[in-house]
Amino acid sequence: MKSKRISLVLPPILVLLLASPAISQTPKLPNVVVLATGGTIAGAAATDVQAGYTSGQVGVDQLLAAVPQAKKLANLRGEQISNIGSQDMNDEVWLKLARRINELTAMPDVAGVVITHGTDTIEETAYFLNLVVKSRKPVVLTAAMRPSTALSADGPLNFYNAVAVAANKDAAGRGVLVVINDWIHGASSLTKTSTTAVQTFMSPLRGLIGTVAYGDAEWYRGPVGKNTVDSEFSLDGVTTLPRVDIVMAYENVDGALIDAAVAAGAKGVVIAGVGNGNMTKAALDALAAQAKKGIVCVRSSRVTTGNVGRNVEVDDDKLGLVASLDLNPQKSRVLLRLALTRTKDPKQIQRYFVEY
Ligand code: ASP
């Protein structure tokens, strides 16, 4: 009978490699999934030196192919969720994106997720995901201010850095992150501050979560506010989100737009107030009247930085209003929409603004 033992004859070069202690084996790369939604990072222009361009022209496969260096950081595969300018971001895409991230991050072999997005509403999407994604794994949004065809496009390095952060174990448990222009922002803190500058995103009150230079991350802090696995918000059973509108305060503003928002179906109104969430007496009277009818009314501020505190110049306790604290109007709207899936009680909703 023939022996079943297989004699392994290794070629000399392999023997040498295995015997050499100086040569280590390449560690297995983590699996990162890229979900593309569109934006300038996928935008294209007719020439490389013009301001005009169209968002969402390049598909996810082209995006991946444009940054081959990222394949050394992680095993990448892409999915196209949408291909829109983020000025067109909508609930349908949000729900699809959040659900897909929850599916992917539940898979044991997925280490992290990168989402490519437009810069216009990235702070809203990031904060929404921060509240409804149920995973501690890295979920990282990235974007670009210059289209992919531009001279000195910023997208490729932003994408490379986002993949590096998504593949980095130290990114876990810091909430949903936004990586752009070498900075790592928390979803609740970042805001767009320039219409056109590459250095547009700032985290004014809370500061950066970290920085990342050619894939090398440095960490400064953890997340502020409940997020992801600690968030009590969930999309289970949610098919639509309640309407919440933002009304800006300004010199001589009256209550017409507040009433119009409610007439259009808003269940909540956020005021982008002047200063510390202030507005004219006429607007405040209209707001308080709506609050009395059960519309949840939040005072935020059109000022880029600073807190909107309770009962400072406005008696929130008496009028039944909610103060946004350090959430800007667009993020207050996101939190209020999710809050309204659970309660209409302004006191409980104020607690959400304290905790999230
Ligand atoms: N309008 C573009 C968008 O938000 C701007 C950008 O991505 O930079 O999709």
Side-chain angles (χ1 to χ4, degrees), residues 39-41 53 55 84-87 117-121 144-145 192:
T40 299
I41 195 166
Y53 69 96
S55 278
I84 54 176
S86 76
Q87 56 269 48
H117 199 286
T119 59
D120 288 354
T121 58
M145 288 299 285
K192 189 174 186 179

Side-chain angles (χ1 to χ4, degrees), residues 125-150:
T125 300
Y127 190 53
F128 173 70
L129 296 175
N130 197 50
L131 300 177
V132 298
V133 162
K134 298 292 169 197
S135 174
R136 291 174 64 79
K137 290 181 184 175
V139 172
V140 182
L141 290 96
T142 192
M145 288 299 285
R146 297 181 181 139
S148 63
T149 49

Side-chain angles (χ1 to χ4, degrees), residues 46-63:
T47 76
D48 57 1
V49 284
Q50 68 177 62
Y53 69 96
T54 312
S55 278
Q57 297 298 294
V58 172
V60 66
D61 293 337
Q62 265 174 288
L63 249 165

Side-chain angles (χ1 to χ4, degrees), residues 45-232:
T47 76
D48 57 1
V49 284
Q50 68 177 62
Y53 69 96
T54 312
S55 278
Q57 297 298 294
V58 172
V60 66
D61 293 337
Q62 265 174 288
L63 249 165
L64 292 180
V67 196
Q69 300 86 341
K71 295 201 181 96
K72 293 195 176 138
L73 302 170
N75 297 315
L76 294 176
R77 67 182 173 82
E79 294 178 19
Q80 196 80 46
I81 297 289
S82 62
N83 211 356
I84 54 176
S86 76
Q87 56 269 48
D88 273 327
M89 191 46 67
N90 57 67
D91 293 357
E92 197 188 329
V93 176
W94 266 11
L95 295 176
K96 182 176 168 192
L97 179 64
R99 292 206 161 100
R100 189 63 186 136
I101 294 169
N102 278 330
E103 281 168 8
L104 289 167
T105 50
M107 295 175 186
D109 64 332
V110 172
V113 176
V114 168
I115 301 123
T116 56
H117 199 286
T119 59
D120 288 354
T121 58
I122 197 170
E123 64 190 273
E124 291 166 59
T125 300
Y127 190 53
F128 173 70
L129 296 175
N130 197 50
L131 300 177
V132 298
V133 162
K134 298 292 169 197
S135 174
R136 291 174 64 79
K137 290 181 184 175
V139 172
V140 182
L141 290 96
T142 192
M145 288 299 285
R146 297 181 181 139
S148 63
T149 49
L151 183 66
S152 199
D154 52 334
L157 185 53
N158 288 342
F159 179 75
Y160 181 84
N161 281 333
V163 170
V165 171
N168 187 330
K169 284 198 177 76
D170 292 337
R174 293 181 196 264
V176 170
L177 301 172
V178 178
V179 168
I180 188 158
N181 211 29
D182 295 356
W183 284 2
I184 307 170
H185 297 268
S188 62
S189 59
L190 94 154
T191 192
K192 189 174 186 179
T193 64
S194 163
T195 53
T196 54
V198 170
Q199 179 56 320
T200 180
F201 285 99
M202 299 287 163
S203 282
L205 284 175
R206 297 177 179 180
L208 296 177
I209 297 257
T211 58
V212 52
Y214 296 101
D216 236 339
E218 203 171 311
W219 302 100
Y220 301 156
R221 67 168 175 90
V224 177
K226 282 178 159 180
N227 63 81
T228 58
V229 290
D230 297 322
S231 164
E232 58 215 278

